Amino acid sequence: MLTIKNLTASVDGKEILKGIDLTVRAGEVHAIMGPNGSGKSTLAHILSGRDGYEVTGGEIVYKGQDLLSLETEVRAQAGIFLAMQYPVELPGVNNMTFLRESMNAIRRSRGEDEIDAVSFMKQVRKKAAQVKLDPKLLKRSVNAGFSGGEKKRNEILQMAMLEPYLAILDETDSGLDIDALRTVADGVNLLRSPERSMIVVTHYQRLLEYIEPDRVHVLVGGRIIRSGGKELALELEARGYSWLVEEAAA
Amino acid sequence: MNQQVESYGQVVKQYIGNLPKGDGDWLSELRQKAAKRFAGLGFPHAKLETWKYTGIDGLLSQEFEVDDTSPEYAEHTVLQQFLQEPVSGRLVFVDGVYQADLSHCESAGVSIGSLHAAMVLADSTVLKKTGSLSGVGEHGFAAMNLATVHDGAVIHIAADTELKRPIELLHVTTRGAEGKALRSRHLIVVEAGTSANLVERYVALDDTTYFNNTVCELFIEEGAKLTHQRVQLESTQAYHMSDLHLELKANAHYHGIYAAIGAAWSRTSVHNRFSDQNANCELDGLYMADNGQLTDFHLDVDHAVPHCDSRENFRGVLHGAGKAVFDGLIQVREQAQKSNANLHNANLVLSRRAEVDTKPQLVILADDVQCSHGTTVGQLDPEAVYYLRSRGLSEREARRLLCLGFASEIIDRFESETLRLQLTEVIRQRIQG
């Protein structure tokens, strides 16, 4: 699904990623953990194609394609989805119109027919209920005036509607109380399938109690300094990051 | 310019001289006054503060003619422009001339007619009201309008009438309008305790060059409510000038929802002087300008008495080399305590070549009032564009969606679904184009 080789990247001339190697196979869930400022979000945004990040070396291959040569929307059309840490508010842009236009843009790019209004409504209602998003919010402007939890649910709803092959969740757990966290995790778990891979970026182990990862990677100072199974997350929870940082430095 | 004033002055003189005597002496006198006023004022120029950013050289160089020959058109082309929803009444003007065959009104309490008919019949109740709000004209164009007015709508809604459906006032121009200066005046009287909804539209069937010079006087009597949906979608080659004058009696409520999208050059000014207490004036407006377009809104709201509310919210979308002017003046006089006045103007500038000159002005002399104003001029948020692109939309689609989102705050205020859909579609096409 995704192979990252020796990826280096900088923001405003400052090197943030210093050689990342990562392979994610179809159906796998990978967690990327690390302290603040370690480069987790940078990696997530580079995968999605946000401006302002300069890739200085290495490569990313997604489904056999050179990902870095693709525009943001082409990546989305190819099945990459980033659930953002800070979803943008879009005043005046109706949530349902937005969802439908996104779905249709992706369908058109794949040579599929646009979704008809009835099927769309059915799907959006069902999936909004799954992530416990108040149906009233579907009629409102995208994220405008939503609470932190509502914004995150809305992200997961978009993910459920767009059915990506590679979903990246950037700190989706931040700012959520335990109930919201569980709902969001349930929504994510519903989407787990042998064809779909996920990268879950998180600071805390908490989310991984609900979304069980196949692999856990620890990102510190722009490098993956340790990879392991889900037990690594538990160890980090108990011991923090510093012992790993010291080990890596030694 | 002096030469032009003189030659237009000749046209005005000739026009008045050639009018049949049956037109009613009362208005003839007013026409003479306005002609004199025009000769004194001339055309507005850039040294006047309210015309500083709105040049008229292009308009004058067209040398539009005063010519009131009856229009010829295929009826279905005009019928297609009608509102989709049922109406309480409809007044249709083609190339500035009232079309009695296409106009109708069956609603109790509503009477409609044309100013031309009122002149022919020397209907003194109508003629006496004409010009009573606007005066003979505070600038040359308004004076010229009154001096040479040809036709217009006369709408009277009796007291305590509750109209559920809108009254449609449709102004259509055809190819026959090419090179002409159309002069109309609308007179709208909403009597006490009445609630009504007016849809006023200016549309063109062809890409014709003409000058639509319009004055509208609206009288909203005690406790009456008027919602006024007004759309200027003239030909992109046209010139459009509208002066709206409002009179709100005690407890009257006026809500104007305006869109100025068409015309090469357009200026809409709205004047409201509160002279009775507890009246409420709300204005929402949307303007858009692309290459070769200038759109201008001038608002003049004067709180001369206590306990009145005014609210203005205008949004502009500028792209290409489009140009917009917004001037919102609110005055709160010393005696106008307990006034509420809020003015907001937001502009979305989509290109480096586009320009907006915006000037909100609050002049507050009373101390116990609640007033606010704010202006923004900005571009699309790159974060928002990225967000949409990350969901599969192209940059163009993302920008279109965000522009429509910006405009929707005003579009959603239109009560008519036909208008909401039409405006959304026009804006969508303009942004795509």
Side-chain angles (χ1 to χ4, degrees):
Chain A
M1 180 75 72
L2 182 78
T3 311
I4 302 176
K5 278 188 197 150
N6 198 26
L7 181 73
T8 56
S10 58
V11 178
D12 296 330
K14 193 180 168 222
E15 195 172 42
I16 306 286
L17 300 183
K18 297 172 182 167
I20 302 275
D21 291 286
L22 181 67
T23 301
V24 179
R25 290 180 192 84
E28 287 181 350
V29 174
H30 287 235
I32 296 183
M33 301 185 67
N36 288 331
S38 61
K40 304 189 299 289
S41 284
T42 298
L43 178 60
H45 281 296
I46 286 176
L47 288 172
S48 146
R50 186 192 190 127
D51 287 340
Y53 297 88
E54 198 196 342
V55 174
T56 48
E59 62 169 9
I60 305 178
V61 178
Y62 167 72
K63 291 184 143 209
Q65 280 180 290
D66 171 19
L67 187 73
L68 294 171
S69 69
L70 304 179
E71 293 288 341
T72 301
E73 60 267 32
V74 179
R75 297 183 197 192
Q77 290 159 5
I80 288 187
F81 180 92
L82 171 63
M84 303 210 184
Q85 184 177 5
Y86 303 110
V88 184
E89 299 196 3
L90 308 177
V93 180
N94 179 273
N95 210 3
M96 270 201 285
T97 308
F98 158 63
L99 269 174
R100 202 169 157 198
E101 294 230 8
S102 295
M103 274 182 95
N104 283 335
I106 291 174
R107 281 171 167 245
R108 279 196 305 271
S109 75
R110 295 174 186 171
E112 296 166 13
D113 286 339
E114 297 196 352
I115 188 166
D116 66 274
V118 177
S119 319
F120 172 78
M121 286 303 297
K122 243 169 130 175
Q123 239 192 78
V124 77
R125 285 217 185 93
K126 183 179 141 206
K127 290 179 173 170
Q130 279 171 0
V131 297
K132 294 190 179 140
L133 184 81
D134 184 345
K136 276 192 212 113
L137 299 183
L138 292 172
K139 292 177 188 158
R140 293 243 305 263
S141 297
V142 181
N143 297 327
F146 287 23
S147 71
E150 287 166 345
K151 282 181 185 168
K152 297 295 170 77
R153 286 170 210 256
N154 206 29
E155 292 291 290
I156 303 304
L157 170 66
Q158 289 168 33
M159 180 166 116
M161 294 296 286
L162 300 181
E163 299 181 325
Y165 297 116
L166 175 64
I168 305 143
L169 284 78
D170 187 11
E171 309 250 1
T172 297
D173 50 337
S174 68
L176 292 187
D177 63 33
I178 197 74
D179 288 335
L181 186 73
R182 205 169 280 158
T183 311
V184 165
D186 288 346
V188 171
N189 286 328
L190 274 173
L191 290 167
R192 285 182 82 151
S193 87
E195 299 85 46
R196 186 169 292 129
S197 310
M198 293 189 190
I199 297 175
V200 180
V201 173
T202 181
H203 184 84
Y204 301 104
Q205 187 267 342
R206 201 174 63 150
L207 180 65
L208 304 179
E209 284 175 22
Y210 302 101
I211 305 172
E212 204 173 284
D214 298 300
R215 297 287 291 165
V216 175
H217 310 277
V218 181
L219 186 62
V220 175
R223 284 192 186 90
I224 290 176
I225 57 167
R226 178 73 65 99
S227 296
K230 61 188 176 202
E231 65 287 345
L232 179 57
L234 293 170
E235 200 173 352
L236 286 170
E237 183 72 3
R239 299 175 65 185
Y241 288 108
S242 50
W243 62 282
L244 267 180
V245 178
E246 279 159 25
E247 258 187 42
Chain B
M1 180 109 71
N2 280 338
Q3 221 175 352
Q4 273 161 322
V5 172
E6 213 166 282
S7 74
Y8 270 99
Q10 284 299 327
V11 170
V12 169
K13 219 173 187 176
Q14 241 174 36
Y15 183 83
I16 298 176
N18 289 340
L19 285 170
K21 285 292 171 210
D23 264 13
D25 288 338
W26 195 85
L27 199 58
S28 301
E29 201 177 304
L30 202 58
R31 284 183 192 275
Q32 296 288 2
K33 266 193 204 162
K36 210 176 268 174
R37 176 83 169 178
F38 172 71
L41 281 175
F43 290 110
H45 48 78
K47 282 182 196 147
L48 296 167
E49 188 59 27
T50 51
W51 289 86
K52 197 170 170 183
Y53 303 103
T54 311
I56 61 162
D57 291 352
L59 197 168
L60 293 181
S61 72
Q62 296 282 349
E63 300 185 350
F64 289 111
E65 288 184 3
V66 170
D67 168 7
D68 299 321
T69 42
S70 286
E72 284 172 28
Y73 56 92
E75 199 174 279
H76 73 274
T77 55
V78 173
L79 299 183
Q80 277 168 3
Q81 303 297 325
F82 287 4
L83 277 185
Q84 308 272 310
E85 49 261 53
V87 294
S88 289
R90 177 176 286 125
L91 296 90
V92 180
F93 290 80
V94 177
D95 298 346
V97 181
Y98 185 61
Q99 306 296 306
D101 292 349
L102 299 179
S103 306
H104 69 93
C105 179
E106 295 85 32
S107 302
V110 185
S111 64
I112 62 166
S114 76
L115 185 62
H116 192 78
M119 290 190 282
V120 172
L121 297 169
D123 180 340
S124 65
T125 43
V126 170
L127 299 180
K128 266 185 198 159
K129 269 207 141 53
T130 299
S132 67
L133 264 189
S134 65
V136 285
E138 58 180 27
H139 53 76
F141 292 116
M144 215 167 74
N145 171 288
L146 185 55
T148 65
V149 61
H150 176 66
D151 210 342
V154 178
I155 303 174
H156 180 268
I157 311 172
D160 300 316
T161 308
E162 195 175 329
L163 287 185
K164 292 247 167 8
R165 294 170 175 174
I167 295 174
E168 179 174 23
L169 169 49
L170 180 65
H171 199 287
V172 181
T173 45
T174 69
R175 206 166 294 169
E178 181 70 35
K180 290 184 184 175
L182 312 175
R183 301 95 48 221
S184 42
R185 289 186 81 89
H186 305 311
L187 194 70
I188 290 138
V189 181
V190 185
E191 296 288 1
T194 284
S195 155
N197 186 340
L198 175 68
V199 173
E200 181 186 2
R201 273 188 308 158
Y202 295 83
V203 297
L205 301 180
D206 287 289
D207 224 7
T208 312
T209 308
Y210 53 89
F211 177 32
N212 213 342
N213 184 1
T214 302
V215 174
C216 187
E217 293 173 284
L218 297 120
F219 299 82
I220 327 252
E221 300 299 326
E222 200 170 325
K225 188 186 176 194
L226 179 69
T227 303
H228 185 187
Q229 306 175 68
R230 191 174 195 280
V231 176
Q232 182 272 97
L233 247 178
E234 303 271 24
S235 135
T236 51
Q237 304 301 312
Y239 294 77
H240 177 103
M241 161 102 233
S242 291
D243 269 11
L244 278 74
H245 297 268
L246 299 168
E247 182 180 78
L248 274 68
K249 288 283 167 61
N251 297 303
H253 185 180
Y254 173 82
H255 186 189
I257 307 137
Y258 310 142
I261 312 281
W265 181 101
S266 88
R267 177 173 169 116
T268 310
S269 34
V270 186
H271 307 267
N272 173 44
R273 183 180 156 91
F274 286 114
S275 46
D276 251 343
Q277 297 197 13
N278 298 309
N280 184 357
C281 177
E282 296 184 87
L283 307 175
D284 288 292
L286 174 69
Y287 49 87
M288 202 169 173
D290 195 354
N291 287 331
Q293 282 188 299
L294 177 141
T295 161
D296 172 341
F297 264 104
H298 265 71
L299 313 178
D300 171 14
V301 174
D302 187 352
H303 287 258
V305 294
H307 294 287
C308 286
D309 296 341
S310 68
R311 179 186 66 77
E312 289 93 31
N313 185 21
F314 280 71
R315 294 200 150 199
V317 178
L318 292 313
H319 54 141
K323 201 182 157 195
V325 178
F326 178 84
D327 190 324
L329 168 65
I330 300 178
Q331 297 183 74
V332 182
R333 312 241 168 200
E334 217 173 327
Q335 66 277 13
Q337 300 295 1
K338 306 283 181 193
S339 293
N340 287 314
N342 300 289
L343 169 69
H344 194 252
N345 174 232
N347 295 280
L348 185 57
V349 180
L350 298 170
S351 123
R352 276 164 199 254
R353 293 173 300 139
E355 180 187 325
V356 56
D357 295 291
T358 171
K359 192 166 77 172
Q361 309 177 69
L362 238 61
V363 182
I364 303 167
L365 301 175
D367 51 14
D368 186 12
V369 296
Q370 283 197 347
C371 299
S372 70
H373 73 91
T375 301
T376 60
V377 176
Q379 286 91 42
L380 287 177
D381 175 10
E383 290 286 310
V385 175
Y386 163 65
Y387 188 71
L388 290 170
R389 289 178 67 200
S390 79
R391 301 304 185 243
L393 297 169
S394 68
E395 174 148 9
R396 207 165 129 145
E397 290 167 328
R399 291 172 71 87
R400 170 179 52 80
L401 209 55
L402 293 170
C403 286
L404 282 171
F406 177 83
S408 74
E409 183 174 314
I410 306 297
I411 293 175
D412 289 347
R413 297 273 182 168
F414 281 90
E415 289 175 7
S416 155
E417 199 187 356
T418 306
L419 296 185
R420 285 200 304 271
L421 293 175
Q422 191 184 29
L423 286 169
T424 304
E425 194 45 42
V426 170
I427 294 171
R428 186 196 303 274
Q429 283 172 10
R430 292 272 166 98
I431 298 166
Q432 296 279 49

